[in-house]
Amino acid sequence: MANLGEISVSAALNLLSAFAFLVAFAILRLQPINDRVYFPKWYRRGIRNSPRRSGVCVTRFVNLDWRTYIKFLNWMPAAFRMPELELIDHAGLDSVVYIRIYLLGLKVIGPLAVLAFLVLVPVNWTGETLEGVKNLAYNDIDKLSISNVPDGSKRFWVHIVMSYVFALWTFYVLYVEYKEVAAMRLRYLASENRRPDQFTVLVRNVPPDPDETVSEHIEHFFRVNHPDSYLTHQVVYNANKLAKLVQKKKSLQNWYTYYFNKYERTSKRPITRTGFGGVVGTKVDAIDYYSSEIQKLSEAEALEREKVLSDPKAIVRAAFVSFKSRWAAAVCAQTQLSHNPTIWLTEWAPEPRDVYWRNLAIPYFDLTIRRLLMAIALFFLIFFFMIPIAFVQSLANIEGIEKVFPFLTPLIETKSVRSFIQGFLPGIVLKIFLILLPTILMMMSKVEGFSSCSSLDRRSAGKYHLFLLINVFLGSIITGTAFQQLKTFLHQPPTEIPKTVGESIPMKATFFITYIMVDGWAGIAAEILRLVPLVIFHLKNMFLVKTEQDREEAMDPGCLNFATYEPKIQLYFLLGLVYSAVTPVLLPFVIIFFAFSYVVFRHQVINVYAQRYESGGSFWPDVHRRLLIGLLISQLLLMGLLSTKSVEKSTIALLPLPILTIWFHVYCKGRFQSAFVRFSLQDAMTKDTLERATEPNLNLRAYLKDAYVHPVFKGRIHFESPLLVPDEENNTLVLTRRSS
């Protein structure tokens, strides 16, 4: 069990590591050769020019101006100079709302830490219970926790009162933040420019018709039921195989360009191999080989394209239907179109760059089956991950390691090794287990069939949050030192097991402090350093990049990984809320994480990350709900802990807290959530009226013509409904090929 000194050593080491990352970042970002890695956003917008274009040979690669190294931390104040409104225009509302989560952490946990250290820490420290227990291993951190208060003491009422104070403060901050984010979203939607998704609805599960094709059936249905507002539609094609051929051809063309440029420089015909990666197989002329392969793929692509366009089975029973106004689209997207609630299902269309085309080809009936199977798979994934988590947590017990590996006892007992094991080993091993998890969860979300990248991110974030909640948090509390507690549990009466588990909550503070330092602090430092993108960029420049266009592709900065980052933020929120009334010494570590993250990610969204899509901050209700889940868990755990401390009527005193939390969630959901899932007809009509007044000659049909055409067809062929003459548009009778 690590003591305060060992935790201090670990904290110092982690802070030094983070500072070393910052120094490395400060030096690397100043070098002209790395400028495209640390400021790619400005290059992609054509605002920033490479410093390598001027100067002598050395200064094109290395910054020799010593004055710039003195102010190596000037990027921090620079991250705050851009106002929030300007930042929304620069990076999008999604990025700004995401950054506010870190600021929300400071608003919530900061005051909690001040109150806890002023009130609870003196109460815990003066309890002096642990010192009076014989043969009990404890440390200075335990003396600052609720474990140091004697059973049955009236001091616990201070913790009960403070838990109400903490909950009310959290309610206030969350309410104000939800209100502000909802207002930001409404202002953004009211002020943003015209976009195709404002006029378009995604229609799924179109019923079959014996006399009409899918496209004709859709046009017939909407001309009958939306005669004054229907404009056009685009049916969805199953072009997944064609998309793979196009992507493969693009890859081969890149290799062809590389070898052709190499031939032009050296006048020597390059050689490659026909096997994997060009390193195995028969030697051939590279230019001839890739030219031949590209020709074969072009022929296969043309055949597949013709097959998709001519085969009725390639048409999915779904379509993007566009209307003449935002008001009409809002009515269609938010109402039931048929008396049968399982057909003609509508939802707001994602913006074109947000569409995940691969999943649109999935039949609607299959979606329910897929999501059921993925729910079962998620359950087993979470369940079986408890085994390695239990093993990892047992490593935090030095006595357990000494029993398994007695020959290591002299080495482990050295102060430096002991500090390393307690401070680094558990978090590092756990981190290895979690590296591949977000990728697995994203694959599961894709199998579920969601039609937009934003919904995939939100769904994956929900899975990852559930995993971290059960396996990392609850799993660490319940199964920590599991191999040694198992025998104790088997020989204990059932009524004693909750007490054993409850008492382990404050004892786990050491592990979670270590986890915050290893996973949080070091992770944020690695985020700002961007070492992996730096290496990849220079490798591409060395071997693949030969033109400015290639360099732009190699400079892809990526985007904010909401599906991975947001659940981790929720874990740190949870730790802060749980331990605010139990072991307040953990709170400063959480505050450092939030403060550091806020500065780093503000810098990243300004200078680095590209915007893959814009959802207008639609993920905030999920963030709010998960924060309240964390608050509810903290209250239930405190109730369970105090029930083991012989505190009279503690359960009754704390029972209103979870009830208040649930009521607060229901209230906020009813008050604000509609702004994130619906678009009011009043706002839609306002935007339509303003647009008609300012652009009376707008050709909306031409504007929407190619908006929702599959990317593999764009620029090659147009898909649209036949243009109608005015008499046909005003005709109340709709032409049909039906025999009945």
Side-chain angles (χ1 to χ4, degrees):
M1 185 179 296
N3 55 40
L4 192 58
E6 292 170 339
I7 289 295
S8 300
V9 171
S10 179
L13 289 173
N14 279 278
L15 285 175
L16 287 174
S17 300
F19 184 76
F21 275 108
L22 289 179
V23 172
F25 164 69
I27 295 174
L28 290 173
R29 69 187 284 269
L30 294 175
Q31 310 311 313
I33 195 174
N34 299 327
D35 204 59
R36 290 178 179 269
V37 178
Y38 293 107
F39 302 97
K41 198 165 194 173
W42 302 102
Y43 279 93
R44 293 169 73 90
R45 297 191 175 190
I47 299 175
R48 191 180 181 97
N49 293 321
S50 175
R52 299 180 62 187
R53 293 182 177 179
S54 60
V56 297
C57 183
V58 176
T59 56
R60 292 177 61 190
F61 298 92
V62 181
N63 186 354
L64 299 179
D65 186 359
W66 61 270
R67 290 169 296 183
T68 58
Y69 293 95
I70 297 176
K71 301 178 180 180
F72 71 95
L73 291 179
N74 64 351
W75 64 271
M76 289 188 175
F80 293 98
R81 292 195 187 111
M82 185 176 288
E84 190 169 73
L85 291 178
E86 184 180 346
L87 186 58
I88 292 175
D89 293 335
H90 176 73
L93 185 60
D94 281 342
S95 299
V96 173
V97 171
Y98 173 81
I99 295 172
R100 289 182 70 97
I101 304 177
Y102 294 108
L103 190 59
L104 178 64
L106 294 175
K107 293 178 181 178
V108 173
I109 305 299
L112 263 59
V114 173
L115 291 174
F117 273 86
L118 289 177
V119 179
L120 294 182
V121 168
V123 172
N124 296 338
W125 181 264
T126 57
E128 300 181 351
T129 297
L130 299 177
E131 296 177 355
V133 181
K134 296 181 179 180
N135 301 324
L136 178 65
Y138 65 92
N139 55 39
D140 295 335
I141 294 179
D142 296 328
K143 292 171 68 175
L144 297 174
S145 73
I146 200 172
S147 300
N148 202 32
V149 180
D151 291 356
S153 172
K154 295 190 179 296
R155 291 170 178 256
F156 286 114
W157 285 98
V158 178
H159 297 80
I160 294 174
V161 172
M162 292 306 297
S163 65
Y164 274 90
V165 174
F166 294 163
L168 292 176
W169 172 253
T170 305
F171 291 162
Y172 170 75
V173 175
L174 289 181
Y175 177 83
V176 172
E177 194 68 17
Y178 209 156
K179 183 178 180 180
E180 177 61 24
V181 173
M184 291 171 62
R185 175 177 168 83
L186 292 176
R187 287 195 300 268
Y188 177 80
L189 294 177
S191 62
E192 71 173 335
N193 296 326
R194 180 173 57 251
R195 294 194 324 191
D197 53 291
Q198 298 170 352
F199 301 89
T200 307
V201 172
L202 175 59
V203 181
R204 308 188 76 167
N205 210 25
V206 176
D209 189 276
D211 300 314
E212 295 180 323
T213 65
V214 174
S215 181
E216 291 171 341
H217 190 26
I218 292 171
E219 183 172 3
H220 182 189
F221 179 86
F222 281 96
R223 288 200 181 281
V224 170
N225 296 285
H226 292 266
D228 299 324
S229 56
Y230 168 77
L231 181 63
T232 184
H233 72 277
Q234 171 58 58
V235 294
V236 177
Y237 288 85
N238 184 356
N240 291 340
K241 184 178 179 180
L242 178 59
K244 291 179 181 178
L245 292 174
V246 171
Q247 186 62 34
K248 186 176 181 181
K249 179 181 174 181
K250 183 179 178 181
S251 175
L252 293 179
Q253 286 173 334
N254 287 337
W255 279 108
Y256 176 83
T257 302
Y258 166 69
Y259 283 116
F260 188 79
N261 290 340
K262 185 177 180 181
Y263 169 67
E264 287 188 330
R265 291 195 321 270
T266 62
S267 299
K268 182 180 178 180
R269 301 288 291 188
I271 302 298
T272 187
R273 292 179 181 270
T274 58
F276 177 77
V279 295
V280 295
T282 307
K283 288 185 178 181
V284 293
D285 182 284
I287 295 177
D288 292 341
Y289 172 73
Y290 281 106
S291 177
S292 173
E293 291 297 312
I294 291 172
Q295 180 63 29
K296 292 178 183 177
L297 272 180
S298 297
E299 295 173 359
E301 178 189 339
L303 289 174
E304 181 64 23
R305 190 184 304 277
E306 182 64 27
K307 178 182 177 181
V308 170
L309 295 177
S310 59
D311 186 3
K313 294 182 179 179
I315 300 179
V316 182
R317 297 195 174 277
F320 292 98
V321 180
S322 298
F323 296 84
K324 298 176 182 178
S325 66
R326 297 173 181 83
W327 185 91
V331 170
C332 182
Q334 297 166 177
T335 55
Q336 182 174 315
L337 299 190
S338 171
H339 63 274
N340 184 348
T342 63
I343 60 175
W344 297 108
L345 303 177
T346 61
E347 60 185 84
W348 277 109
E351 63 168 335
R353 58 179 173 171
D354 190 21
V355 177
Y356 189 70
W357 294 97
R358 186 182 183 87
N359 279 354
L360 289 178
I362 300 174
Y364 187 82
F365 177 77
D366 294 355
L367 296 180
T368 304
I369 305 299
R370 284 168 171 257
R371 290 169 189 177
L372 175 62
L373 293 177
M374 288 302 101
I376 297 172
L378 181 64
F379 170 79
F380 282 102
L381 178 66
I382 293 175
F383 176 79
F384 284 109
F385 248 77
M386 291 293 287
I387 298 173
I389 292 295
F391 175 74
V392 169
Q393 296 310 309
S394 69
L395 293 179
N397 191 317
I398 289 219
E399 291 76 14
I401 297 177
E402 291 176 344
K403 286 183 179 179
V404 178
F405 307 105
F407 58 91
L408 295 178
T409 300
L411 179 63
I412 292 175
E413 290 300 328
T414 31
K415 187 175 181 180
S416 58
V417 175
R418 186 183 183 91
S419 298
F420 173 80
I421 292 176
Q422 295 283 9
F424 281 92
L425 188 58
I428 289 175
V429 177
L430 180 60
K431 181 72 174 178
I432 293 174
F433 279 121
L434 298 176
I435 284 177
L436 296 177
L437 182 63
T439 303
I440 297 173
L441 297 178
M442 177 58 75
M443 292 172 58
M444 293 173 64
S445 297
K446 290 179 179 179
V447 172
E448 287 181 309
F450 292 97
S451 59
S452 66
C453 298
S454 56
S455 58
L456 287 173
D457 280 344
R458 292 197 298 270
R459 187 69 175 181
S460 298
K463 292 184 178 69
Y464 196 23
H465 172 256
L466 184 62
F467 180 90
L468 293 177
L469 175 63
I470 295 177
N471 277 322
V472 177
F473 179 71
L474 296 179
S476 297
I477 291 176
I478 297 172
T479 66
T481 63
F483 299 121
Q484 293 163 348
Q485 289 189 5
L486 180 60
K487 184 177 180 181
T488 306
F489 284 167
L490 292 176
H491 291 83
Q492 279 183 339
T495 55
E496 290 297 313
I497 294 178
K499 182 176 180 180
T500 305
V501 175
E503 289 177 345
S504 69
I505 295 175
M507 300 299 181
K508 287 298 173 184
T510 300
F511 169 78
F512 286 122
I513 289 174
T514 303
Y515 182 82
I516 293 171
M517 290 187 293
V518 173
D519 184 77
W521 296 3
I524 294 301
E527 167 68 28
I528 192 67
L529 184 59
R530 287 178 58 82
L531 188 59
V532 174
L534 180 68
V535 173
I536 293 175
F537 174 76
H538 287 305
L539 287 176
K540 285 184 176 181
N541 271 320
M542 291 171 60
F543 298 107
L544 297 177
V545 173
K546 305 302 177 186
T547 65
E548 282 298 320
Q549 183 178 357
D550 294 336
R551 184 170 287 106
E552 291 295 325
E553 295 178 357
M555 197 176 54
D556 181 17
C559 58
L560 277 173
N561 193 346
F562 177 82
T564 301
Y565 293 155
E566 192 270 344
K568 290 184 178 180
I569 302 173
Q570 295 290 349
L571 177 61
Y572 299 130
F573 263 111
L574 176 62
L575 294 177
L577 293 171
V578 167
Y579 283 95
S580 58
V582 177
T583 310
V585 72
L586 179 140
L587 299 183
F589 297 89
V590 179
I591 292 174
I592 292 173
F593 167 78
F594 281 128
F596 195 14
S597 299
Y598 179 69
V599 179
V600 167
F601 277 98
R602 211 174 198 277
H603 172 273
Q604 297 296 78
V605 299
I606 292 174
N607 299 299
V608 179
Y609 287 129
Q611 197 177 4
R612 188 171 52 153
Y613 57 80
E614 177 58 63
S615 68
S618 59
F619 55 82
W620 189 259
D622 297 329
V623 174
H624 181 83
R625 184 184 69 255
R626 287 194 273 267
L627 284 172
L628 288 179
I629 290 174
L631 181 61
L632 183 64
I633 290 174
S634 69
Q635 295 162 354
L636 296 176
L637 289 178
L638 182 62
M639 290 175 61
L641 178 60
L642 292 183
S643 67
T644 67
K645 296 291 185 178
S646 304
V647 183
E648 189 175 350
K649 299 181 180 179
S650 64
T651 302
I652 298 176
L654 287 172
L655 188 59
L657 271 181
I659 297 175
L660 279 174
T661 302
I662 296 172
W663 171 84
F664 178 73
H665 167 65
V666 173
Y667 173 78
C668 287
K669 182 178 180 180
R671 175 68 177 82
F672 300 116
Q673 188 169 343
S674 62
F676 295 86
V677 296
R678 299 185 183 279
F679 188 42
S680 72
L681 298 182
Q682 180 184 14
D683 293 336
M685 182 60 73
T686 301
K687 287 186 71 69
D688 288 334
T689 303
L690 289 174
E691 188 172 74
R692 282 194 294 267
T694 56
E695 299 180 72
N697 298 321
L698 173 66
N699 188 345
L700 192 59
R701 183 188 294 273
Y703 173 73
L704 297 172
K705 179 175 61 176
D706 292 333
Y708 287 98
V709 172
H710 196 291
V712 298
F713 294 122
K714 280 191 175 181
R716 293 182 172 87
I717 190 168
H718 297 306
F719 300 89
E720 59 179 335
S721 301
L723 291 175
L724 302 179
V725 296
D727 290 342
E728 289 176 330
E729 287 186 336
N730 298 326
N731 193 349
T732 56
L733 297 178
V734 179
L735 296 177
T736 178
R737 297 195 319 181
R738 290 178 180 172
S739 57
S740 58

